Amino acid sequence: MNQNRIKSEVFAFLAAGWWPTALLLAGTAAAAPVLGGLVRPIFVLGCAVAGWFAWRKSAEAHVQSAILLFAFAPFVRRLVDVVAGFDPSSIMLSGPLLFIVAPFPSFWSLLASKDRPSNPWLVLPVIILACVVYGAALSIFQNDWFNAANGGMKWAAPVLYAMALQQQADSRFALAHAMARMFLVVLPLTGLYGIWQYVDPQSWDQFWMVNASITSVGYPLPYMVRVFSTMNAPASYATFTATGLLLVGFLRPGWQALAASVPAAIGLLLSLYRTSWIALAVCVLFCMLFQQTRKRALATTIGIACAVIAATAFAPFSDVITSRFESLGSVANDSSGTERLDEFVTLWNAPDSTVTGRGFTITDVGVAGAMPIDGQIIASWVTMGIPVGLVCLAAYIWTGLWAASAAWRMPMREGVVLGALAVGALLVQMPLTSVSSGEVSALFWMCVAMACPIDQTAGAAETSALPAPDNQTSV
């Protein structure tokens, strides 16, 4: 019976609606030597079409495709850049954002329905979107139309996606299981590539590291890379990996979780991104508080400990990982922590920008010498100023608290895991990194939408009239 069930799951997974996205990624990489830079707008347009197709298939297929696209689009971008030349505008990275915006028209049509059930959860995303419009307006007033559009898209697209996704989420947690199944494939691939990248960075990675001038990725030399794997930065890769490890570890069978987690855990360690290390530890400890997840939490803790011991015992990895762990206990000598505190001092001493904000003009700076923007507090402050920034930050915190309450509202294994992810975002991610922009924001809002399903926020009796995407099936 178990073998038949596993075979059925494998067949359903392979027959799911994410295959056009996989073909788009592979086709773009293959066409780059022939089409050169022309492949970039084709890829962006293809993402929009693939997003529409996946949503028509099912919400589960769309979630899986989104994870696949965010995980591998930066890798394909680097393959294109090494052939066609470096693109400082990163136009290909707008493709995944268009992909997740594709479901929003279905939500908009739902708003026009007179028998639409009340849904108080939607108030928070609307508040955040209003703050995003304010930030974009500030950039427009500075005649910076590009950053107004680019920054606004990065902040708004994940929120719009969550508003549509939440309408299809319910307490059966089909979407959470769909995420776990996709991470079961993504984690070992990105983990193995990350190890390879650390030992022998390839030409496309080296080319991007040199031209992008990103200081957080280390040096384009063997054993000197801060692993970012197929993604765009160590922070993005580590956040995706930590989230995937938690979902796979608690929602998939033990042998599957172990096979996927070993390379992913090593890749996570080699990213040297302590924020995700701490967030993962907080999530696992949170899961220990609940009977439904306590055994898996203990097993996951033992597995993580074994991975850390193995990684620190292996010569090429041991020194860099050990020194990074030691820095956790040396706050006084932590240059990264000092830098984050200095950001508050710098902003406080700049009264000309603290009230109104600066818009999206400088929020996503990664160039050497520029002031870093770390944490949701700083990101909201710089972008929107103190009054509007506080409103935006309060909406993010309230959203996180609502999602964290899933552990008590829906005391099942899935509810506890989604609640744990929200707790990790509130206690660790928000103070130390931004959860409002790009792929990290998309992942945050996916989990939030699943933790606040429509049958919990609007009432099960009222949601029976809600339309679902065509051919809605579990994949």
Side-chain angles (χ1 to χ4, degrees), residues 355-422:
V355 177
T356 60
R358 303 175 187 175
F360 294 112
T361 301
I362 63 169
T363 299
D364 293 320
V365 172
V367 179
M371 174 184 167
I373 307 296
D374 296 306
Q376 190 58 47
I377 301 173
I378 293 292
S380 300
W381 189 351
V382 172
T383 305
M384 303 163 186
I386 291 178
V388 179
L390 284 175
V391 172
C392 184
L393 181 63
Y396 266 100
I397 293 174
W398 191 253
T399 300
L401 289 172
W402 201 332
S405 69
W408 292 274
R409 287 185 287 106
M410 300 174 287
M412 296 172 281
R413 182 178 51 175
E414 296 87 351
V416 173
V417 171
L418 291 173
L421 288 170

Side-chain angles (χ1 to χ4, degrees), residues 29-49:
V34 178
L35 299 179
L38 183 61
V39 79
R40 291 173 177 139
I42 294 175
F43 174 78
V44 174
L45 180 61
C47 287
V49 175

Side-chain angles (χ1 to χ4, degrees), residues 61-142:
H62 197 276
V63 165
Q64 291 179 331
S65 300
I67 293 171
L68 189 69
L69 196 58
F70 276 111
F72 291 99
F75 172 73
V76 174
R77 173 261 176 101
R78 295 197 290 272
L79 294 179
V80 173
D81 278 5
V82 80
V83 173
F86 180 72
D87 175 24
S89 67
S90 305
I91 186 174
M92 289 183 65
L93 298 186
S94 63
L97 297 176
L98 287 178
F99 182 93
I100 62 175
V101 168
F104 188 70
S106 67
F107 170 78
W108 191 256
S109 64
L110 180 63
L111 289 180
S113 175
K114 294 182 179 180
D115 57 351
R116 179 177 61 89
S118 60
N119 186 4
W121 181 83
L122 292 176
V123 173
L124 296 172
V126 169
I127 291 174
I128 293 172
L129 288 175
C131 295
V132 172
V133 171
Y134 172 78
L138 290 177
S139 291
I140 292 174
F141 291 152
Q142 300 173 55

Side-chain angles (χ1 to χ4, degrees), residues 12-13 16-18 21 58-69 99 161 175 177-182 186 446 475:
F13 180 76
W18 53 264
T21 303
S58 69
E60 291 93 331
H62 197 276
V63 165
Q64 291 179 331
S65 300
I67 293 171
L68 189 69
L69 196 58
F99 182 93
Y161 185 38
L175 294 179
H177 282 281
M179 285 183 70
R181 284 194 292 273
M182 180 50 72
V186 169
M446 282 185 205
V475 293

